[in-house]
Amino acid sequence: MYGKRLRGVRAPHRKNTSGCAPARMPAPAAVVIPMMMHIGAPAKPVVAAGDTVKVGQLIAEASGFVSSPVYSGVSGKVKAIDSILLPGGQTSAAIVIESDGEQALRDGLAPPPVSDLKSFLAAVRESGVVGLGGAGFPTAAKLTVELPKIKAVIINGAECEPYITSDTRTMLDQSDLLWEGVLMLKKYLEADRVIIAIENNKPDCIALYEGLARAQDGVEIKTLPSLYPQGGEKVLIYNTTGLVVGEGKLPIDAGALVLNCTTLAAVVRYIKTGMPLVEKCVTVDGSAVANPQNVIVPVGTKLSDLFDFCGGFKSEPKKIMYGGPMMGLALTDLSFPILKTTNAVIALGAKDAIPPKETACIKCGRCIASCPLRLMPANIEQAFRRKNPEELEQLKVNICMECGCCSYICPAKRPLVHVNKLAKIMLRDYQDKNKTAAKKEGTLK
Amino acid sequence: MSSFAVSVSPHIWSKTTTSSIMRDVLIALIPALIASVFIFGTRPLLVTAVCVATAVISEWVFEKATKRPVTISDLSAAVTGTLLAFSLPADIPIWQAVVGAVTAIIVIKQLFGGIGQNFANPAAASRVIMLLAFSGPMTQWRQIDAITGATPLALIKAGDTDLLPSLLDMFLGNRGGCIGEVCVPALIAGGIYLLARRIIQWHTPVVFIATAVVLTALLDAQPLYQLMSGGLLPGAIFMATDYSTTPSTVRGRVIFGFGCGLITVLIRVWGSYPEGVSFSILLMNIITPYISRWTRSRPFGGAKA
């Protein structure tokens, strides 16, 4: 068997909304749907300004193998195709649709024919589903693997980030879809071993799936400790199966295929109903939100509309972020739209918004003891400040997944994740330079 | 409504801060201070107060003079002052205690860059300097009863083992020694508090103490007295667990603890000083950067470079 579980931090849970079945928000006046909501090539618009669209209608097609089509979540009229700034700083084309409020469904919405692996993968591709845990890797591309390589398929229901409960709601409210998905994976991917991994702070989910799995061979429910980041892909794979994903390798190289539970449910929804991914269940929470809750919103809904639906703010918000507080992205304003990958929007009041003052490193080793990937963040920081890329290479900063444990735990409140991100860039530049130098030498010979 | 704070994740932080850690260390030192009052009278309070005040003031003065941010609120200077006082005899002349605290903070800590940058434990290093500079007063122990003026370690060294206090007196602290080193239950209570608060890990103290006890047992040199004597317990619990000057990985801490135990026994058994804990910690502090290099953690799934 394998050794100890990988480490992490006991971040607060703050799962305030786990008991709150999602409310459906009425279609907003307008949605802004970016073409880059996934890793890979941006989707290519197939509608033009002035076109009318309906719910579930294709508005942009995939433009490559690692890409994903985009569908409208509202009915109405395409107003424009704009270029917008995404929260990560990239620019992306975005289709702006004015809603007519009717939410009329596309004509001829019907389940796709699925009978074998090929048609299953085609359906996954058409569904517009990407990794909804946050990474946004097109699911069809992920599932296109040599089947014998698969040792275990892991359904990620860890949901280890504080606040977020949208996966919990998927597991509770869409258990029929999710379970159907497990059976489909067993059938089409010929997976002998499917593991549903859930943190122990969700006992109702664990009980539900243990009940379902009892009558089914080859499906295991693994209860994980509530130790952030159990849901991190490498951590999840190791802690459930003992498989080690090596540096620079994909999970499938180790024999593991991980799918987020909401991702799988969204795929199955398309296969069962023909409705592609056009809406998301989003946890809206944080100290500034008037009525924290889970909300189902069309993809492209602006944050301002979403917060209005949740009763606005009870105190002035000072920090807004996509995703949970451990890895979430802080936003500059409320004009950003909900993406396919958005699972939570957090608004914090003044008291929680400003990072604490940074003091000198006391070399306590907490960052090292808490790093799930056994990196040495304090040493990485020193090497970075000394501008020593060779040292960074030895310390393997490149495998950092930026989970945030080191910064969270640091008693000196040093921004270690930030430094790791910068250190990765320093290392990449150094390696690129070496490569070019080696190439030059090669051509001279 | 227009301006939001934008910072890199994470957006929440643990409640533990440098000053909360130092506050916990101070709390853990309180039992030993109280015990010292019962054993030696009120003089330990005066010495401790002088050392703490001097340490804090020296840090403030140095940082003001060098125009650095003032860090006295992190309480690390107060910890250094307390630890130094604990390793002094109760009747140390006050001016010598002042010199010791100034040396610890300015020479050992601040001249090397302040908190986190010093290579040696300020209290341990300063005690060694004081031992060399003020050898007389530093080895003059207050008489607890009519029989013992010397410390148990000195008695063992001199071969006067029949003069040793009873093991119960050893345990409770009714014997000669430094302010904060004599009362075993008080020190252990402090250690348990630090372990429970996750301020320290068990590896260094347990390996340090076990090494010393096992080696003295093998050498037939009164292991139980060795365990409870001198600076072994306070050194292992409070000084060998100092963050900046000891390795930050578990493997490194095990090596560090073993080295400390070994050197302590070498000095106690064959050296010319009866006590070797502060020397051993200081020597191991010096090789800590090397231990840290040897004991780097292997990244998960990392390819061999």
Side-chain angles (χ1 to χ4, degrees):
Chain A
M1 252 332 249
Y2 51 100
K4 282 192 293 187
R5 281 178 201 276
L6 298 180
R7 296 165 292 204
V9 295
R10 300 209 173 273
H13 296 175
R14 301 189 188 161
K15 303 278 189 186
N16 314 315
T17 53
S18 61
C20 144
R24 187 174 292 274
M25 176 177 157
V31 292
V32 180
I33 307 178
M35 296 295 98
M36 234 167 73
M37 297 190 282
H38 51 263
I39 293 176
K44 217 162 46 204
V46 295
V47 290
D51 289 0
T52 52
V53 293
K54 288 184 174 169
V55 176
Q57 183 176 331
L58 182 76
I59 54 172
E61 59 187 15
S63 63
F65 175 68
V66 184
S67 184
S68 184
V70 179
Y71 300 85
S72 176
V74 297
S75 61
K77 200 180 221 170
V78 176
K79 200 177 143 211
I81 299 180
D82 270 347
S83 176
I84 66 159
L85 196 64
L86 293 178
Q90 324 89 315
T91 49
S92 165
I95 299 174
V96 184
I97 303 172
E98 266 176 353
S99 159
D100 58 16
E102 312 222 325
Q103 291 301 83
L105 299 187
R106 175 177 79 89
D107 308 322
L109 199 69
V114 173
S115 57
D116 56 5
L117 177 63
K118 199 166 161 241
S119 52
F120 174 69
L121 287 179
V124 175
R125 182 165 299 278
E126 287 157 20
S127 69
V129 175
V130 300
L132 300 181
F137 190 74
T139 305
K142 189 176 215 175
L143 294 182
T144 308
V145 294
E146 294 164 42
L147 297 189
K149 273 191 170 180
I150 302 174
K151 290 182 188 150
V153 175
I154 303 163
I155 309 302
N156 188 352
E159 200 167 52
C160 52
E161 273 267 9
Y163 290 109
I164 311 181
T165 61
S166 52
D167 280 351
T168 306
R169 291 320 307 184
T170 301
M171 285 189 275
L172 292 175
D173 305 335
Q174 300 177 35
S175 57
D176 49 339
L177 292 181
L178 193 50
W179 188 251
E180 182 104 28
V182 170
L183 300 180
M184 281 184 192
L185 294 175
K186 286 188 75 68
K187 186 169 165 195
Y188 298 122
L189 296 184
E190 292 158 28
D192 298 328
R193 188 176 182 206
V194 178
I195 297 167
I196 304 176
I198 306 170
E199 273 194 1
N200 65 7
N201 61 359
K202 294 178 262 296
D204 39 354
C205 294
I206 295 168
L208 176 62
Y209 287 91
E210 273 180 345
L212 288 167
R214 212 160 285 146
Q216 178 67 45
D217 278 348
V219 181
E220 299 160 47
I221 313 303
K222 286 259 180 184
T223 303
L224 302 166
S226 301
L227 184 70
Y228 179 87
Q230 293 300 310
E233 203 169 45
K234 285 182 178 182
V235 179
L236 183 75
I237 293 169
Y238 184 77
N239 286 356
T240 53
T241 65
L243 297 169
V244 176
V245 181
E247 180 182 356
K249 299 277 198 244
L250 293 170
I252 192 64
D253 296 325
L257 194 69
V258 180
L259 278 181
N260 168 273
C261 58
T262 302
T263 307
L264 183 56
V267 165
V268 179
R269 158 155 306 174
Y270 176 67
I271 292 175
K272 301 299 283 182
T273 67
M275 179 55 78
L277 178 64
V278 294
E279 59 184 22
K280 273 308 293 288
C281 173
V282 177
T283 301
V284 184
D285 202 345
S287 53
V289 177
N291 304 313
Q293 57 188 301
N294 284 305
V295 188
I296 296 174
V297 288
V299 169
T301 301
K302 282 188 189 169
L303 292 189
S304 45
D305 293 333
L306 176 56
F307 281 118
D308 286 347
F309 178 75
C310 294
F313 300 107
K314 65 181 176 200
S315 66
E316 196 183 328
K318 277 294 175 193
K319 187 183 258 178
I320 307 286
M321 61 214 178
Y322 271 144
M326 291 300 286
M327 288 189 76
L329 196 58
L331 304 174
T332 46
D333 61 69
L334 293 176
S335 68
F336 290 108
I338 295 295
L339 310 175
K340 284 180 181 177
T341 49
T342 310
N343 47 20
V345 183
I346 312 289
L348 299 177
K351 202 163 65 67
D352 316 309
I354 308 298
K357 213 176 136 252
E358 170 187 342
T359 56
C361 171
I362 54 172
K363 305 202 177 104
C364 65
R366 281 174 172 76
C367 53
I368 300 168
S370 66
C371 178
L373 300 181
R374 301 191 201 122
L375 297 173
M376 304 183 77
N379 301 50
I380 292 171
E381 191 193 19
Q382 274 189 356
F384 175 76
R385 302 222 182 275
R386 289 197 210 111
K387 298 195 172 61
N388 185 346
E390 284 124 344
E391 182 92 358
L392 292 174
E393 199 165 30
Q394 280 175 20
L395 290 165
K396 305 268 186 215
V397 66
N398 53 311
I399 71 172
C400 167
M401 58 177 166
E402 302 171 13
C403 65
C405 287
C406 50
S407 297
Y408 172 83
I409 205 78
C410 178
K413 308 302 164 203
R414 302 187 71 75
L416 297 167
V417 173
H418 190 186
V419 169
N420 282 2
K421 290 182 193 214
L422 297 172
K424 282 183 190 176
I425 298 170
M426 182 187 280
L427 176 59
R428 206 176 307 137
D429 288 350
Y430 165 79
Q431 287 170 335
D432 287 349
K433 227 178 267 167
N434 279 0
K435 252 180 239 162
T436 352
K439 230 182 242 166
K440 246 186 211 162
E441 216 165 272
T443 49
L444 283 176
K445 276 177 194 165
Chain B
M1 274 277 300
S2 53
S3 68
F4 295 132
V6 175
S7 61
V8 175
S9 60
H11 306 286
I12 49 174
W13 299 268
S14 72
K15 288 198 187 73
T16 308
T17 61
T18 302
S19 46
S20 81
I21 291 170
M22 297 301 163
R23 190 173 58 228
D24 273 333
V25 176
L26 289 174
I27 291 171
L29 289 166
I30 288 173
L33 183 63
I34 294 171
S36 74
V37 175
F38 284 104
I39 297 162
F40 301 112
T42 51
R43 175 100 182 155
L45 288 179
L46 175 68
V47 175
T48 308
V50 166
C51 284
V52 169
T54 311
V56 172
I57 293 167
S58 330
E59 182 148 294
W60 185 86
V61 168
F62 185 92
E63 286 170 338
K64 278 282 170 201
T66 53
K67 299 195 168 59
R68 290 180 201 186
V70 171
T71 59
I72 55 170
S73 63
D74 68 23
L75 301 178
S76 65
V79 168
T80 296
T82 314
L83 283 176
L84 177 67
F86 277 23
S87 53
L88 303 177
D91 292 312
I92 188 87
I94 291 303
W95 71 270
Q96 292 181 354
V98 169
V99 170
V102 171
T103 310
I105 292 297
I106 297 197
V107 180
I108 318 285
K109 184 180 177 189
Q110 289 296 343
L111 286 183
F112 285 92
I115 186 167
Q117 299 296 318
N118 47 302
F119 74 95
N121 184 307
S126 176
R127 182 190 136 82
V128 167
I129 291 170
M130 289 178 74
L131 197 60
L132 302 174
F134 314 122
S135 335
M138 282 294 286
T139 49
Q140 212 89 82
W141 314 106
R142 178 173 294 195
Q143 251 174 288
I144 303 300
D145 51 52
I147 318 165
T148 54
T151 61
L153 286 175
L155 293 171
I156 295 174
K157 189 118 237 174
D160 299 330
T161 44
D162 45 336
L163 293 178
L164 282 173
S166 72
L167 277 174
L168 181 67
D169 279 343
M170 287 295 298
F171 184 71
L172 295 175
N174 286 323
R175 36 127 176 180
C178 298
I179 290 173
E181 71 180 26
V182 288
C183 182
V184 174
L187 292 166
I188 289 184
I192 289 173
Y193 177 78
L194 291 181
L195 283 171
R197 298 280 297 162
R198 294 165 189 258
I199 304 298
I200 62 170
Q201 286 183 296
W202 59 268
H203 309 85
T204 317
V206 168
V207 174
F208 186 168
I209 293 166
T211 305
V213 170
V214 168
L215 286 179
T216 46
L218 291 175
L219 294 166
D220 199 17
Q222 305 281 0
L224 280 180
Y225 282 93
Q226 296 283 0
L227 166 66
M228 295 189 276
S229 296
L232 184 55
L233 287 174
I237 295 169
F238 295 104
M239 288 177 174
T241 53
D242 175 38
Y243 296 142
S244 318
T245 59
T246 67
S248 42
T249 59
V250 168
R251 278 190 303 150
R253 284 169 182 169
V254 168
I255 296 174
F256 185 91
F258 174 76
C260 285
L262 179 69
I263 297 171
T264 299
V265 172
L266 292 179
I267 294 175
R268 282 187 180 183
V269 176
W270 287 295
S272 27
Y273 282 95
E275 171 57 322
V277 168
S278 32
F279 291 105
S280 76
I281 293 173
L282 186 56
L283 287 170
M284 291 308 289
N285 285 163
I286 291 168
I287 66 160
T288 288
Y290 297 94
I291 300 177
S292 298
R293 262 212 106 72
W294 301 327
T295 56
R296 281 191 172 173
S297 59
R298 223 174 79 81
F300 180 77
K304 293 220 166 70

